[in-house]
């Protein structure tokens, strides 16, 4: 199995890397300036990817875009038959992205040319992930047809399929030869990457719409019945459960050595102790926080349905900066090369950094 080191100038996939821990390299300015915006014709709920000076992002206007990271100018766009809310994975000169038309698309990163597509039985909202085994690169993603798919990255041919009992909304996390994902059937699944067999499942008892993060053999995720959990993947036991108020968790967590940070529909960003789930701090916004936070150095970056992009202190949750976009931000930030790129329900992609 291969691990991946992400270049500080890149953010190649949702949550940054295959374990989905939401950690960005480098630093961002204390008070970033708006560098550019790019207007699409629909809401932008897709979280951008940034690779080799390009930003890749989907829109509900049925298009998938490649933009210049420096200027925000369009390099190319391809049109699909339905909205693109999935976040792209950029790998080895290829882009893999799901769409609401039930297809996973593989595109040439340079030109946007279609290399192959794979049809499932329903829409694909979660971002694809990847792993290599026996020298072959494979793509992993879930669909609303209840299935988790593993495809050969080069050809789009199926390696295996695992069927759950309800929608798979999030992105599958990859670590240590396994993938972990939550289902809307209330189960946490752990699947062997080699052959797609079930290693174990945990009865969580509530739909899991967010993506799971994996760190040191533990899975971290929230669910629809107002709890956020840590599960020991080897033992299959729940380590701790965090509960604040009666609101679901839809945001995927960022995980450091000692903290876990996630948004809630209680309009808060929560920071808890990774070891025992006790609250370290919380930060209140004026709208639900479905956007997944990214940690960059000593800062946490996230969007809220109150229409603002926030930077708060990792240490104590104090607000350091915010920018009012004015429409809900359900997209999650991509952070690379000292810049932040994020989409909004106003139909635009925004880039912030040092002027």
């Amino acid at each position: 199995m291969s691990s991946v080191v992400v270049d500080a100038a890149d953010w190649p996939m949702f949550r940054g890397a295959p374990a989905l821990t939401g950690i960005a390299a480098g630093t961002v300015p204390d008070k970033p300036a708006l560098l550019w915006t790019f207007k699409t014709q629909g809401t932008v709920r897709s979280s951008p990817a940034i690779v080799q000076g390009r930003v890749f992002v989907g829109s509900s206007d049925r298009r998938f875009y490649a933009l210049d990271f420096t200027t925000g100018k369009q390099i190319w766009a391809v049109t699909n038959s339905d909205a693109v809310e999935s976040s792209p994975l950029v790998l080895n000169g290829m882009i893999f992205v799901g769409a609401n038309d039930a297809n996973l698309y593989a595109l040439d990163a340079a030109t946007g040319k279609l290399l192959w597509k794979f049809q499932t039985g329903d829409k694909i909202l979660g971002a694809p992930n990847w792993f290599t085994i026996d020298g072959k690169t494979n793509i992993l993603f879930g669909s609303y047809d209840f299935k988790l798919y593993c495809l050969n990255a080069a050809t789009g041919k199926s390696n295996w399929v695992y069927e759950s009992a309800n929608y798979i909304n999030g992105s599958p996390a990859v670590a240590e030869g396994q993938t972990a994902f939550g289902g809307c059937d209330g189960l946490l699944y752990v699947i062997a990457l080699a052959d797609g067999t079930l290693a174990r499942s945990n009865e969580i008892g509530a739909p899991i719409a967010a993506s799971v993060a994996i760190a040191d053999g533990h899975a971290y995720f929230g669910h629809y019945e107002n709890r956020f959990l840590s599960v020991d993947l080897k033992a299959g036991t729940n380590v701790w459960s965090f509960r604040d108020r009666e609101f679901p968790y839809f945001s995927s967590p960022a995980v450091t050595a000692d903290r876990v940070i996630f948004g809630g529909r209680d309009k808060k960003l929560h920071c808890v102790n990774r070891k025992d789930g006790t609250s370290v701090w919380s930060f209140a916004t004026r709208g639900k926080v479905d956007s997944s936070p990214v940690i960059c150095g000593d800062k946490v970056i996230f969007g809220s349905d109150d229409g603002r992009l926030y930077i708060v202190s990792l240490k104590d949750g104090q607000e350091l900066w915010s920018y009012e976009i004015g429409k809900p931000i359900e997209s999650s930030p991509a952070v690379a090369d000292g810049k932040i790129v994020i989409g909004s329900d106003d139909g635009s992609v925004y880039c912030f950094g040092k002027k």
Side-chain angles (χ1 to χ4, degrees):
M1 311 302 300
S2 73
S3 59
V4 61
V5 177
V6 177
D7 189 300
D10 288 345
W11 184 265
M13 61 181 292
F14 182 62
R15 314 304 293 137
L20 307 184
T21 49
I23 307 292
T27 58
V28 292
D30 291 340
K31 307 273 187 235
L34 179 64
L35 300 179
W36 53 259
T37 63
F38 177 82
K39 183 84 177 143
T40 78
Q41 304 305 307
T43 56
V44 181
R45 291 178 179 167
S46 170
S47 302
I50 303 165
V51 173
Q52 294 182 338
R54 291 184 176 189
V55 173
F56 301 97
V57 68
S59 168
S60 63
D61 68 4
R62 302 187 296 117
R63 292 187 185 92
F64 183 79
Y65 296 91
L67 312 175
D68 185 286
F69 189 22
T70 305
T71 65
K73 297 278 189 290
Q74 181 178 314
I75 297 168
W76 53 256
V78 293
T79 304
N80 297 296
S81 57
D82 208 335
V84 183
E85 293 183 53
S86 164
S87 303
L89 162 66
V90 187
L91 188 65
N92 302 332
M94 295 172 75
I95 299 162
F96 304 92
V97 66
N100 290 22
D101 65 5
N103 286 299
L104 185 87
Y105 291 90
L107 309 173
D108 179 84
T111 63
K113 180 186 170 206
L114 179 67
L115 301 174
W116 53 257
K117 66 179 180 179
F118 182 92
Q119 187 167 20
T120 74
D122 208 332
K123 63 186 176 181
I124 302 165
L125 295 186
N129 207 330
W130 70 280
F131 66 95
T132 59
I133 197 163
D134 297 331
K136 289 196 171 67
T137 301
N138 303 287
I139 304 300
L140 205 59
F141 66 98
S143 166
Y144 265 51
D145 67 3
F146 307 179
K147 292 172 184 164
L148 181 77
Y149 293 89
C150 175
L151 310 181
N152 180 294
T155 64
K157 295 284 184 288
S158 176
N159 294 324
W160 52 257
V161 180
Y162 183 85
E163 187 160 6
S164 71
N166 208 316
Y167 304 139
I168 302 173
N169 189 74
S171 177
V174 168
E176 295 174 9
Q178 296 179 322
T179 180
F181 69 94
C184 290
D185 55 7
L187 292 171
L188 175 72
Y189 291 92
V190 183
I191 308 290
L193 292 175
D195 56 9
T197 55
L198 180 69
R200 75 190 54 81
S201 64
N202 276 46
E203 178 64 60
I204 302 301
I208 304 162
S211 300
V212 173
I214 302 177
D216 301 319
H218 289 69
Y220 301 91
F221 59 96
H223 65 54
Y224 252 83
E225 288 181 13
N226 321 324
R227 287 181 185 269
F228 190 95
L229 305 177
S230 167
V231 171
D232 184 323
L233 292 177
K234 209 161 255 166
T237 53
N238 293 5
V239 181
W240 52 256
S241 168
F242 170 85
R243 188 186 191 101
D244 187 18
R245 294 187 294 158
E246 296 297 307
F247 288 92
Y249 296 106
F250 199 85
S251 160
S252 300
V255 182
T256 72
D258 59 353
R259 295 182 178 195
V260 183
I261 296 174
F262 49 93
R265 291 195 164 172
D266 58 0
K267 306 183 180 179
K268 287 181 179 180
L269 185 75
H270 294 276
C271 174
V272 302
N273 183 300
R274 186 173 141 184
K275 193 176 175 186
D276 60 14
T278 54
S279 179
V280 178
W281 53 257
S282 66
F283 175 83
T285 77
R286 299 176 196 87
K288 67 183 182 184
V289 182
D290 281 356
S291 174
S292 300
V294 169
I295 296 168
C296 185
D298 58 358
K299 300 180 178 74
V300 185
I301 305 142
F302 70 102
S304 167
D305 263 33
D306 67 9
R308 287 179 178 269
L309 177 66
Y310 290 95
I311 299 179
V312 301
S313 162
L314 174 59
K315 183 178 169 222
D316 57 14
Q318 290 299 306
E319 182 176 328
L320 302 174
W321 173 90
S322 70
Y323 183 92
E324 185 157 9
I325 286 170
K327 283 282 170 74
I329 302 170
E330 294 180 54
S331 170
S332 301
V335 180
D337 201 25
K339 294 187 249 191
I340 302 160
V341 182
I342 198 163
S344 167
D345 281 12
D346 71 355
S348 290
V349 182
Y350 292 80
C351 179
F352 300 89
K354 193 175 179 183
K355 259 286 195 241

